[in-house]
Amino acid sequence: MIAYVNGTIDDISEDNVVLDVNGLGYNVKISSATAAKLPGIGNRIKLYTYTSVREDAVQLYGFLARGDLDIFRKCITVSGIGPKGALAILSVLDADSLRYAIITGDVKAISKAPGVGARTAERLILELKGKVRIEDTVIGREVEGVETEAEAVDNAQKKEAVEALVSLGYGRADAVKAVNAVEEIETMDSGAVLKAALKKMF
């Protein structure tokens, strides 16, 4: 219905931004992650939007990037996940991390979102796994030849470090991101990679 809203920020909260568009104020629901990226009041921004129409309300949901809107739209096609639930997921996982969590079956990472339990996360993964591509993510572009969960990194040290982080309770998507952020990894053994990756987790 409304493809995007381009206006001046009048007010910001953790889950909502008011945009002044030629004197008309639009309430746009946003994730806390989006709220943290917004400039201050008085600045102009463009949000790509999804319009939710219900019997009792019409609500706009806004995103800074088309890719964020795209994964949001995919999430709300899953039974049991409405716009509010999808926004909650995108508050704890950015779009790339969510796509990667879906591809790798990382239930733990997705179920960190408020109101999203393990069963809902499993359903999301099951229904969307064939609809997202590793190539569409920054993580995917950093990883060579991803075919299975066990092959989510490109050398032995990385694989061992990722599995160690997962065994410590971290989500696979977060573990891969942390390991891939370690510099000069070729000179390290798996123990050193693990220590360096743990520092990236905090």
Side-chain angles (χ1 to χ4, degrees):
M1 185 178 286
I2 299 175
Y4 62 84
V5 179
N6 195 333
T8 303
I9 298 175
D10 184 71
D11 187 45
I12 306 172
S13 65
E14 186 178 2
D15 64 354
N16 192 83
V17 61
V18 178
L19 288 186
D20 183 332
V21 182
N22 297 324
L24 184 63
Y26 286 86
N27 273 309
V28 185
K29 289 293 182 185
I30 55 176
S31 69
S32 57
T34 296
K37 295 177 182 176
L38 293 180
I41 291 172
N43 287 280
R44 288 188 66 81
I45 60 166
K46 179 178 182 179
L47 291 177
Y48 298 94
T49 55
Y50 170 82
T51 306
S52 172
V53 180
R54 301 187 315 184
E55 291 183 2
D56 58 343
V58 177
Q59 180 66 62
L60 287 175
Y61 292 82
F63 307 88
L64 289 168
R66 284 194 179 96
D68 295 354
L69 174 59
D70 177 66
I71 193 66
F72 172 86
R73 286 179 177 274
K74 285 182 170 66
C75 285
I76 62 176
T77 65
V78 177
S79 175
I81 299 180
K84 185 177 179 180
L87 210 61
I89 294 171
L90 286 168
S91 288
V92 298
L93 290 172
D94 61 33
D96 268 355
S97 295
L98 176 55
R99 290 188 187 93
Y100 195 75
I102 291 167
I103 291 165
T104 59
D106 196 341
V107 173
K108 187 176 294 183
I110 297 171
S111 59
K112 288 179 182 177
V116 178
R119 287 187 179 180
T120 302
E122 288 170 357
R123 189 184 310 120
L124 180 88
I125 291 166
L126 179 65
E127 295 189 24
L128 297 187
K129 200 163 191 177
K131 298 179 181 179
V132 297
R133 301 186 312 158
I134 188 67
E135 295 85 358
D136 294 334
T137 72
V138 172
I139 299 170
R141 291 190 288 274
E142 292 175 349
V143 174
E144 299 175 9
V146 174
E147 296 176 358
T148 67
E149 289 185 34
E151 295 169 335
V153 286
D154 56 4
N155 66 36
Q157 299 100 304
K158 285 186 177 183
K159 288 179 182 179
E160 290 179 14
V162 167
E163 294 307 322
L165 287 170
V166 171
S167 71
L168 290 171
Y170 294 102
R172 184 172 293 275
D174 290 336
V176 170
K177 285 182 71 175
V179 168
N180 279 327
V182 176
E183 298 176 356
E184 299 181 0
I185 203 165
E186 296 80 6
T187 63
M188 302 179 183
D189 60 22
S190 57
V193 174
L194 174 59
K195 289 180 181 177
L198 279 169
K199 294 179 181 178
K200 302 288 184 180
M201 303 296 286
F202 298 102

